[in-house]
Amino acid sequence: MNNIKGIIFDLDGVLVFTDHYHYLAWKKMADSINCYFDEIINNKLRGVSRMASLDIILENYKGIPFTKEEKEALAFKKNEIYKDLLKKMTPDDVSRDVRDTLAELRKRGYKLSVGSSSKNAKFILKQVDLIDSFDAISDGTNITNSKPDPEVFLKGASFLGLNPQECAVVEDAYAGIDAAKAGNMLAISIGDATSYDKSDIKLTKFSDLLLYFK
Ligand code: G6P
Ligand code: MG
């Protein structure tokens, strides 16, 4: 790994766990329009942008199709509920394993960035007191194409002043591993994505990163 100078981390499912908050917020929105939604569908939304997530959820909607404006209103409503739930997050929502590993990687000279499709990424990082652990943040506010498009990671690399080949990506979603590979980066999986054969390195726990990045 001696060519790697920067590591880009997905947020949801890697640094913090917001899946359940996404679920609760989408569920409330789906119930309000009588649309079936469950945790299995929610799992398909990892790494997927807000509007693309809504389209996946609406595949189960049997009523008259919504206009673009109505869809935007539904996504807005979900996000208001989601943001309210995020306010409950505290620094205790980040494990010691994650916090100490990030600090050690920085100490070893690696540049660190977040690479998340979420437009709420900075808000979440502030809530859990992780915002100062990174040299750059690339998120849903600076991209037009979400994962599996590599844009969010390519921007992350450029914010760090590095070439994609000098960067590794840590991801829990298949779409994120695809994005890393499409961007010509080393793809490291954790959680669900470890069962994806496209990932280059599989982590059992976050601090295993220290075994690869000396
Ligand atoms: C992350 C999550 C997705 C979410 C997306 C957009 O990638 O894994 O589940 O849909 O961010 O999040 P946002 O906070 O902008 O709605
Ligand atoms: Mg994720």
Side-chain angles (χ1 to χ4, degrees):
M1 312 302 144
N2 45 15
N3 63 318
I4 299 295
K5 297 186 175 136
I7 309 172
I8 306 175
F9 296 88
D10 172 50
L11 177 63
D12 293 325
V14 173
L15 302 171
V16 294
F17 296 87
T18 48
D19 266 15
H20 192 61
Y21 293 146
H22 278 295
Y23 169 74
L24 292 174
W26 280 128
K27 178 73 179 150
K28 217 166 186 175
M29 185 286 303
D31 284 351
S32 76
I33 56 168
N34 275 320
C35 176
Y36 181 77
F37 180 65
D38 62 20
E39 303 246 18
I40 295 162
I41 303 169
N42 192 58
N43 287 343
K44 291 192 205 163
L45 311 179
R46 287 198 192 126
V48 178
S49 73
R50 196 180 306 161
M51 291 312 287
S53 296
L54 178 62
D55 283 334
I56 293 172
I57 293 167
L58 292 179
E59 285 170 13
N60 283 297
Y61 179 67
K62 309 272 185 261
I64 300 160
F66 292 108
T67 63
K68 190 170 172 285
E69 288 71 25
E70 285 167 338
K71 285 210 270 184
E72 270 158 17
L74 291 173
F76 179 82
K77 179 168 156 186
K78 179 265 173 176
N79 196 50
E80 290 299 297
I81 303 166
Y82 179 59
K83 281 197 300 190
D84 246 10
L85 294 167
L86 290 180
K87 287 184 193 148
K88 293 188 197 168
M89 292 189 89
T90 71
D92 285 343
D93 284 299
V94 177
S95 70
R96 264 281 128 226
D97 194 44
V98 166
R99 216 178 271 285
D100 292 349
T101 303
L102 292 174
E104 180 58 25
L105 288 169
R106 246 182 160 183
K107 218 163 114 193
R108 293 185 186 185
Y110 293 96
K111 295 251 170 264
L112 308 184
S113 173
V114 168
S116 165
S117 307
S118 174
K119 292 185 171 156
N120 295 299
K122 292 191 186 86
F123 181 76
I124 296 169
L125 290 165
K126 280 184 201 147
Q127 281 293 115
V128 301
D129 193 25
L130 263 192
I131 195 117
D132 295 325
S133 301
F134 296 92
D135 302 289
I137 291 158
S138 174
D139 65 16
T141 63
N142 60 256
I143 54 168
T144 31
N145 308 299
S146 84
K147 302 165 190 177
D149 189 285
E151 186 180 3
V152 75
F153 295 141
L154 293 176
K155 291 257 165 71
S158 98
F159 292 165
L160 293 176
L162 298 172
N163 296 321
Q165 299 89 325
E166 296 173 311
C167 293
V169 164
V170 185
E171 258 294 348
D172 72 310
Y174 281 43
I177 296 293
D178 283 335
K181 295 314 294 174
N184 224 347
M185 298 172 177
L186 184 75
I188 303 177
S189 58
I190 192 163
D192 279 4
T194 54
S195 35
Y196 194 21
D197 55 10
K198 275 200 182 175
S199 70
D200 300 309
I201 293 177
K202 298 169 187 217
L203 301 179
T204 311
K205 56 184 188 307
F206 196 84
S207 52
D208 285 351
L209 284 169
L210 299 174
L211 306 173
Y212 297 97
F213 302 103
K214 301 278 189 191

